[in-house]
Amino acid sequence: MILQSVKMAWASVISNKMRSFLTMLGIIIGVMALVVLVSIADGATNEVTDAISSMGTNLLTVTISDDGGNPVRLSEMDDILALDDVSEAAPVGTDSLTLSSGEESETGSVTGTTADYLDIEGLELSAGRWLNSSDVDSNTRVVIINQDTAYDILGVTFTTDAIDQTIDIAGIPYTVVGVLAEDDSVTSSASSYEAYIPYTSLERISSTVSDVTSFVVAASDDSRLDAAEKSVETWLYDRFGDEDAYDVTNMSEVADTMDSVTNTMALMLGGIAAISLLVGGIGIMNIMLVSVTERTREIGIRKAIGAGAGSILAQFLIESLMLSLMGDALGVASSWIALRIIAAVTGSSYTMDGKVVLAATAFSLVIGVVFGLYPARKAAKKNPIDALHFSG
């Protein structure tokens, strides 16, 4: 009986190809919205998570907002390094200054720091070396630049060509000793000019950077980050006597917060997209009611020759399921194509999550049953005499 119902349902679907397609269109659009939106949200989540992870989840960022007239000195970084569960610490001072070479001149971000900053921030070098302790102690005029600065301002073809060249920072010549590797993370700028110099050098050329108002700390181990945070907070409180004078940001907490936010966004987008599937289900129920009315005499004839109510119900319910699942299949295929196009246009990587596809298919299945049940029951309950006398 089931096989016969499937054959009859299929015959009904293909006999009205345009109407069937238009009926499935709501499901197709709903599935596409669900799969594509959730996949994009998942892709964005992965990119943000990777970006935060690349900066290190054992990282603390300290910002001093009120030193009370007793500023932190560069020499006090040794006191931070001596704290329990702290492995590295580096001051961070940033100013926007002119970077120039020959006729090329751009405003860039100049960061003053020390040797530990490279490992703490997870930076990588494409060529040359990073700052060392003697650079800081001797106020050496050396600089590490990013690739945009090397290509656009120095005009080199390869990053290795930038080594030992001179670039002026605020009119003062600095020797390039290193070039950073390219940063493709979502946190990097599309085009920016960056330079890293000894903290002592920045203090001399910047009008805004003098004492330490910000520094980064790395814990000895990821599992010791909370303990390191407590050690740093205790030192800061003993130093300033006021919890409002400073702020300590734990990167693992930031990562957890971002993960929670992006998961919530994915659920919200999925919920919005699911509404489209419900609209598609209403479309299926509507067309199935029309189909029942159009085929009333057929129902009467089938009942007259012995077809039971269960057989009639199965026929129309299977037809509803067929429309819903075919729409789901076309929606999934269209989603795959849409994600490939979006990935090619944006340069990002988006993949279809099998769990999302299964969820969309299950939802389509439920919609086919729920919205097809009423028309199917209506068809099954028709009186054969009344159905045979139906004139349309």
Side-chain angles (χ1 to χ4, degrees):
M1 184 183 75
I2 297 297
L3 181 60
Q4 185 64 31
S5 296
V6 170
K7 290 180 178 179
M8 294 180 69
W10 174 251
S12 177
V13 169
I14 62 173
S15 65
N16 295 283
K17 295 183 180 64
M18 181 56 69
R19 187 170 76 175
S20 297
F21 175 73
L22 293 175
T23 303
M24 290 186 288
L25 196 57
I27 299 295
I28 294 170
I29 293 172
V31 169
M32 278 190 67
L34 180 60
V35 174
V36 171
L37 288 178
V38 174
S39 297
I40 289 175
D42 285 345
T45 298
N46 292 335
E47 287 191 358
V48 171
T49 300
D50 291 344
I52 293 175
S53 297
S54 69
M55 294 187 290
T57 53
N58 67 334
L59 170 65
L60 299 173
T61 301
V62 179
T63 304
I64 299 167
S65 55
D66 183 8
D67 58 26
N70 185 20
V72 175
R73 307 295 181 185
L74 182 60
S75 59
E76 292 180 89
M77 288 295 100
D78 292 335
D79 297 334
I80 302 295
L81 283 170
L83 295 175
D84 293 337
D85 302 303
V86 172
S87 63
E88 295 174 305
V92 182
T94 305
D95 198 358
S96 292
L97 300 171
T98 302
L99 305 177
S100 59
S101 177
E103 296 182 357
E104 297 294 333
S105 179
E106 299 285 351
T107 298
S109 174
V110 180
T111 300
T113 188
T114 56
D116 286 347
Y117 187 83
L118 180 74
D119 291 334
I120 295 174
E121 292 289 346
L123 300 178
E124 295 182 4
L125 291 169
S126 172
R129 67 172 178 87
W130 184 253
L131 303 171
N132 56 44
S133 55
S134 63
D135 293 327
V136 179
D137 294 339
S138 305
N139 183 31
T140 309
R141 291 181 180 175
V142 294
V143 61
I144 293 87
I145 58 177
N146 68 338
Q147 294 196 10
D148 283 343
T149 305
Y151 295 141
D152 297 346
I153 298 178
L154 290 181
V156 299
T157 304
F158 303 102
T159 54
T160 51
D161 296 337
I163 304 303
D164 294 330
Q165 289 204 36
T166 298
I167 187 170
D168 290 346
I169 303 177
I172 300 173
Y174 279 75
T175 301
V176 177
V177 295
V179 180
L180 292 176
E182 186 175 2
D183 184 2
D184 293 327
S185 70
V186 294
T187 57
S188 64
S189 304
S191 178
S192 61
Y193 303 104
E194 301 173 4
Y196 298 82
I197 63 176
Y199 194 87
T200 50
S201 297
L202 184 62
E203 287 181 315
R204 296 194 176 191
I205 63 176
S206 173
S207 59
T208 60
V209 177
S210 54
D211 301 302
V212 178
T213 57
S214 178
F215 59 91
V216 289
V217 175
S220 55
D221 186 80
D222 287 357
S223 63
R224 304 301 301 166
L225 183 59
D226 291 339
E229 183 179 11
K230 290 180 180 178
S231 296
V232 172
E233 287 179 337
T234 299
W235 184 87
L236 289 166
Y237 185 79
D238 291 342
R239 181 71 168 69
F240 298 110
D242 182 5
E243 293 181 351
D244 295 329
Y246 55 85
D247 181 66
V248 181
T249 302
N250 186 322
M251 287 305 296
S252 68
E253 294 177 357
V254 172
D256 291 341
T257 301
M258 287 301 301
D259 188 51
S260 176
V261 168
T262 50
N263 284 338
T264 301
M265 285 291 293
L267 286 173
M268 183 183 71
L269 290 172
I272 293 172
I275 295 173
S276 299
L277 277 173
L278 289 175
V279 173
I282 293 171
I284 287 178
M285 184 169 67
N286 182 56
I287 207 66
M288 289 304 299
L289 286 170
V290 172
S291 181
V292 169
T293 301
E294 289 178 344
R295 294 154 65 186
T296 298
R297 287 180 61 82
E298 175 192 326
I299 294 168
I301 292 171
R302 289 196 64 200
K303 283 198 167 188
I305 61 175
S311 176
I312 302 296
L313 186 143
Q315 176 189 345
F316 283 92
L317 189 57
I318 289 172
E319 186 174 333
S320 172
L321 278 169
M322 192 172 289
L323 287 170
S324 183
L325 292 178
M326 287 175 66
D328 172 72
L330 290 172
V332 170
S334 300
S335 298
W336 186 87
I337 295 171
L339 287 172
R340 299 282 76 75
I341 294 172
I342 293 171
V345 171
T346 63
S348 300
S349 177
Y350 298 113
T351 57
M352 266 198 319
D353 189 338
K355 293 179 181 179
V356 178
V357 173
L358 286 176
T361 302
F363 200 28
S364 299
L365 183 65
V366 171
I367 283 174
V369 173
V370 171
F371 288 94
L373 190 58
Y374 174 72
R377 284 170 61 90
K378 185 176 180 180
K381 288 181 178 180
K382 282 188 177 295
N383 184 290
I385 302 300
D386 292 338
L388 286 169
H389 284 88
F390 182 76
S391 61

